[in-house]
Each structure stands twice: as structure tokens, then as C-alpha cells.
């Protein structure tokens, strides 16, 4: 485990609509995941750089030029890449390696569940899991989080109860890595 200094209770979130709390085209959960994380762990300074509809492929093109100061970098991309037939491994690898070169502690999430089948979802989830292992990034297994169709805001996006369970898995990893930030 990485031991973070007390002043490093900082995290930046990158991801698509799942980590953004978006659903139904242009709606957003009343308490999006970043706010849930702040509520669950108020000692953390949380920066939200998520964007609904974003792919890892698109984000990776600007990631190396973005300024970051957070100790932890959470990356939750992949479902849009899978749906568009884009390989998720190479762009995520570039992002992880960039953040690690900066001295940041990277946390990758697997893909959340959907009511409708997303072609390539299982393969992308597996690729993300393997990438975490290869790079030493922490892995949050969103595929293993309990859910049911009634927990969804729409066929792809978590409603509040499921979204909260996904964020709680991120919190578990943060707690392991930085218990002083609880």
C-alpha cells in the first residue's frame, strides 16, 4: 500500500457519464458521484473532471497536457469505448503511465453493469483489470458490485443507489491506501 501524507487527501476523477452521474441524455443525479465521495470522506479534496459521453480514447489525447495536483487519480472509462468498438487498453495505458510519471497513485475502475448488452463490455472490463495488474494501479471491481435493473436511472446508467455502491468501492480502496484520510 502507498502511504500518503496527511496533506495528500486529494483525488481527481476522470470518467464518462457513469462517474459523472449522468443519465437520460442530459440529466445528472442530484448528488453525483464526486459529491457522494465528498460526503463519505469529507477530508478529501475532490476534483471532478468527468464528462458524460467521453471515451478513454478522447481523454487520453489531452490527458498529458492537463495540470494535476491530486495524489490520487481515479480513471473510470471504457463503456463508451466498448460501445464504439474502440480499444480501451492503449489509451488507458497512456493515461496511467502519465499519471504515474507525475508520481500519482492511480485507481482504475472496471465497468459497471448495464440492463442492455453493450458489445465488447466484458472484454473491455477484462482489459482494464489486466492493465491495472500490469501497471500496479489499484483496481476497483465495479463488475462485482451488486445491482438490479430497478437500481438503474436508464438502461446504461446507474441510479442513485447503484451509483452510491460504486463510489463506496472507490472509498474502500482509498481507505486502504490512505487510512489517515478517512
Amino acid at each position: 500500500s502507498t502511504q500518503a501524507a496527511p496533506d495528500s487527501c486529494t483525488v481527481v476523477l476522470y470518467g464518462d457519464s457513469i462517474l459523472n452521474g449522468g443519465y437520460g441524455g442530459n440529466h445528472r443525479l442530484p448528488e453525483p458521484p464526486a459529491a457522494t465521495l465528498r460526503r463519505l470522506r469529507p477530508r478529501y479534496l475532490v476534483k471532478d473532471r468527468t464528462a458524460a459521453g467521453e471515451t478513454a480514447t478522447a481523454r487520453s489525447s489531452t490527458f498529458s497536457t492537463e495540470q494535476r495536483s491530486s495524489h490520487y487519480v481515479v480513471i473510470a472509462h471504457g463503456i463508451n469505448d466498448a460501445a464504439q468498438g474502440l480499444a480501451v487498453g492503449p489509451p488507458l495505458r497512456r493515461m496511467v503511465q502519465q499519471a504515474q510519471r507525475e508520481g500519482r497513485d492511480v485507481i482504475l475502475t472496471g465497468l459497471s453493469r448495464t440492463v442492455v448488452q453493450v458489445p465488447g463490455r466484458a472484454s473491455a472490463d477484462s482489459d482494464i483489470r489486466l492493465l491495472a495488474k500490469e501497471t500496479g494501479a489499484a483496481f476497483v471491481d465495479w463488475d462485482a458490485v451488486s445491482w438490479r435493473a430497478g437500481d438503474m436511472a436508464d438502461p446504461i446508467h446507474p441510479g442513485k443507489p447503484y451509483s452510491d455502491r460504486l463510489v463506496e468501492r472507490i472509498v474502500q480502496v482509498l481507505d486502504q491506501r490512505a487510512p489517515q484520510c478517512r
Side-chain angles (χ1 to χ4, degrees), residues 22-68:
Y23 68 94
N26 62 352
H27 300 287
R28 197 168 187 204
L29 296 172
E31 183 188 62
T36 302
L37 178 54
R38 285 184 197 105
R39 177 176 50 79
L40 294 174
R41 292 296 179 267
R43 292 198 60 202
Y44 275 95
L45 173 63
V46 180
K47 293 181 183 176
D48 186 355
R49 293 190 179 166
T50 61
E54 188 173 69
T55 62
T57 302
R59 177 57 86 169
S60 71
S61 68
T62 62
F63 191 81
S64 66
T65 63
E66 296 175 26
Q67 296 295 313
R68 277 172 290 282

Side-chain angles (χ1 to χ4, degrees), residues 10 34 56 60 64 81 91 99 104 109-110 115 117-118 122 127 138 152 154 157 168 178:
T10 55
S60 71
S64 66
D81 298 84
R104 315 225 179 276
T109 74
V115 174
Q117 185 173 2
V118 175
D127 290 348
M152 304 296 284
D154 65 27
H157 302 96
E168 287 167 1

Side-chain angles (χ1 to χ4, degrees), residues 5-177:
D7 64 347
S8 67
C9 300
T10 55
V11 61
V12 60
L13 306 177
Y14 289 93
D16 53 34
S17 53
I18 307 299
L19 194 55
N20 177 266
Y23 68 94
N26 62 352
H27 300 287
R28 197 168 187 204
L29 296 172
E31 183 188 62
T36 302
L37 178 54
R38 285 184 197 105
R39 177 176 50 79
L40 294 174
R41 292 296 179 267
R43 292 198 60 202
Y44 275 95
L45 173 63
V46 180
K47 293 181 183 176
D48 186 355
R49 293 190 179 166
T50 61
E54 188 173 69
T55 62
T57 302
R59 177 57 86 169
S60 71
S61 68
T62 62
F63 191 81
S64 66
T65 63
E66 296 175 26
Q67 296 295 313
R68 277 172 290 282
S69 59
S70 298
H71 183 83
Y72 295 99
V73 175
V74 175
I75 304 173
H77 278 294
I79 198 82
N80 292 323
D81 298 84
Q84 295 177 38
L86 302 170
V88 72
L92 283 180
R93 182 178 298 279
R94 288 191 298 274
M95 292 168 67
V96 169
Q97 290 173 337
Q98 175 65 38
Q100 288 175 334
R101 278 193 300 272
E102 296 169 6
R104 315 225 179 276
D105 194 346
V106 179
I107 300 169
L108 290 172
T109 74
L111 301 184
S112 60
R113 298 302 197 102
T114 60
V115 174
V116 297
Q117 185 173 2
V118 175
R121 182 202 162 282
S123 177
D125 189 66
S126 179
D127 290 348
I128 297 166
R129 181 184 309 268
L130 180 60
L131 177 64
K133 184 176 181 180
E134 290 174 354
T135 62
F139 180 72
V140 179
D141 190 358
W142 276 1
D143 191 47
V145 175
S146 67
W147 75 287
R148 60 189 200 339
D151 290 339
M152 304 296 284
D154 65 27
I156 300 286
H157 302 96
K160 185 67 176 140
Y162 183 34
S163 177
D164 284 357
R165 289 192 298 276
L166 297 174
V167 173
E168 287 167 1
R169 289 294 176 102
I170 293 171
V171 167
Q172 288 173 354
V173 171
L174 289 170
D175 285 354
Q176 289 171 354
R177 295 176 103 66

